[in-house]
Amino acid sequence: MLIRPRDPGFVHPQASDITPRAVYEGRRAWLRRMAGGAAGAALAGWAGREALAQPAPPVKRAALSGTPSAVAGAMTMEKPTGYQDAAGYNNFYEFGIGKDDPARHAHTLKTRPWTVEVEGLVGKPGRFAIEDLLTLAPMEERIYRLRCVEGWSMVIPWVGYSLSALIKRVEPLGSARYVEFVTLADPRQMPGLRSRVLDWPYVEALRLDEAQHPLTLLAFGMYGEVLPHQNGAPVRLVVPWKYGFKSAKSIVKIRFAEKQPGTAWNKAAANEYGFYSNVNPGVDHPRWSQATERRIGEDGLFAKKRKTLLFNGYEAQVGQLYAGMDLQKNY
Ligand code: MTE
């Protein structure tokens, strides 16, 4: 599939168009410094991409210090998708339904000031300013596969920390079983809200144990840089073993609940988009197969489709969460 140019100077990247290794690994060094306690200084630079494009000495592609082993084992060594694809081929319906709409329109999103309200069944509810969230736990780089329900996938180096760090801070009550994520719905900033394609705001939810799993990432950046607006700035979720739509972008509220919350895609078409939405090649979407996927950046006449893996390849890490469950029924 071709991507229409978003501006006259935009050149569609080739499969080989990845961040040069030295620059990429230099960013890793920067991340290590951040993880190592220089967070304040490094965060000040986040506003400017230029600062991050500075060459830095290459470092070994080692697990970042402090990365929990459950996460380190899940890190893919696959080649990351080109930055221009990851930031140019998006689903963010608040900015339009075309794949290049978010990159064209999301500049209107205001990411400061930004707060995330935490409410519901927690001992310590509150409003977190984005600045406080950025320093709540050490930042890590996590290279995850992202598999969209539509049948394409990418490999993206995200920057963030496990959502569990925030969950621990707010002390969920024993009655809390689900976590709901509500995202921004402001018609002045988001032209896509004029369309009734979804029941706004875009809402997603996880079971509490899924939300607490170390792989579930609260992401603030990608490719060593602050998140582009179209990828869900200033803060989003990344749940790598589930179809991409579970990874809510531009989150403004996190609510802990006893009952399973209604979610945007499930409300729109319950028979097509289940609550769990775990990546599963054995459970087809009613209108298409989920057995294979197309890696963005590898299109072309002779590009072979890849086999989709159960839980998107993270079965060893997350399979236990679904022990004894009928995955055909709980799709
Ligand atoms: N979050 C919001 N608020 N609105 C959306 O339309 N789309 C979802 C998810 N999060 C969406 C969203 C879908 S369908 C996918 S596949 C991923 O975001 C895409 O993330 P990416 O554009 O960073 O690859």
Side-chain angles (χ1 to χ4, degrees):
M1 189 192 293
L2 285 172
I3 300 178
R4 272 182 287 133
R6 52 187 166 137
D7 63 55
F10 183 83
V11 182
H12 188 267
Q14 303 300 306
S16 57
D17 183 20
I18 63 161
T19 316
R21 193 179 169 96
V23 173
Y24 183 66
E25 292 187 340
R27 288 184 186 142
R28 287 177 158 263
W30 170 80
L31 278 159
R32 285 163 76 100
R33 284 198 300 277
M34 267 183 83
L43 287 169
W46 259 41
R49 282 180 58 156
E50 313 77 48
L52 302 172
Q54 301 281 332
V59 290
K60 277 228 161 68
R61 197 174 170 133
L64 296 161
S65 57
T67 304
S69 55
V71 173
M75 295 276 266
T76 176
M77 297 304 274
E78 287 175 277
K79 187 166 86 174
T81 299
Y83 180 88
Q84 283 180 297
D85 273 334
Y89 188 93
N90 301 101
N91 277 336
F92 200 167
Y93 278 21
E94 290 87 331
F95 294 101
I97 57 171
K99 298 296 176 213
D100 57 353
D101 283 340
R104 285 193 294 138
H105 301 306
H107 59 90
T108 52
L109 178 67
K110 255 184 81 207
T111 60
R112 295 291 188 282
W114 193 278
T115 53
V116 177
E117 182 127 26
V118 181
E119 61 175 43
L121 303 175
V122 286
K124 291 191 171 160
R127 281 166 82 87
F128 288 80
I130 189 70
E131 291 76 13
D132 296 334
L133 283 180
L134 281 165
T135 50
L136 189 129
M139 292 283 172
E140 296 168 18
E141 182 172 76
R142 305 268 188 89
I143 305 177
Y144 284 159
R145 282 179 292 274
L146 180 133
R147 167 63 155 83
C148 181
V149 73
E150 296 163 344
W152 50 265
S153 61
M154 298 196 196
V155 176
I156 299 184
W158 302 104
V159 179
Y161 51 77
S162 294
L163 174 67
S164 62
L166 174 60
I167 296 181
K168 217 163 139 192
R169 187 68 66 92
V170 298
E171 299 177 4
L173 304 180
S175 50
R177 292 189 55 225
Y178 293 92
V179 190
E180 180 185 35
F181 304 88
V182 183
T183 73
L184 184 72
D186 180 357
R188 285 166 305 175
Q189 302 179 52
M190 302 174 135
L193 296 181
R194 283 196 289 265
S195 137
R196 308 299 327 157
V197 60
L198 288 173
D199 181 12
W200 311 111
Y202 191 102
V203 171
E204 258 311 330
L206 298 170
R207 237 171 39 193
L208 179 61
D209 60 344
E210 296 177 322
Q212 287 172 316
H213 192 281
L215 283 194
T216 301
L217 190 72
L218 201 57
F220 302 88
M222 61 184 216
Y223 297 80
E225 301 178 359
V226 67
L227 276 178
H229 290 182
Q230 58 269 31
N231 290 85
V235 55
R236 68 172 294 172
L237 205 61
V238 184
V239 194
W241 70 95
K242 292 179 179 281
Y243 291 118
F245 70 86
K246 298 294 289 183
S247 295
K249 294 176 169 181
S250 306
I251 296 168
V252 291
K253 192 186 285 184
I254 302 179
R255 195 174 65 86
F256 289 73
E258 189 166 4
K259 289 212 181 81
Q260 186 176 301
T263 57
W265 280 105
N266 187 252
K267 281 196 246 170
N271 64 324
E272 302 194 2
Y273 310 106
F275 176 81
Y276 283 95
S277 286
N278 292 317
V279 174
N280 190 337
V283 179
D284 287 339
H285 184 279
R287 291 184 280 132
W288 59 83
S289 161
Q290 293 291 23
T292 59
E293 66 201 54
R294 185 173 60 86
R295 182 65 52 83
I296 298 296
E298 291 180 350
D299 7 37
L301 228 46
F302 304 107
K304 274 214 335 229
K305 283 204 163 189
R306 289 164 184 263
K307 281 199 166 133
T308 288
L309 304 170
L310 182 60
F311 298 116
N312 202 22
Y314 301 100
E315 186 181 2
Q317 289 78 26
V318 301
Q320 228 3 68
L321 292 172
Y322 311 102
M325 267 176 69
D326 181 344
L327 298 178
Q328 298 276 341
K329 245 165 85 188
N330 297 287
Y331 58 88

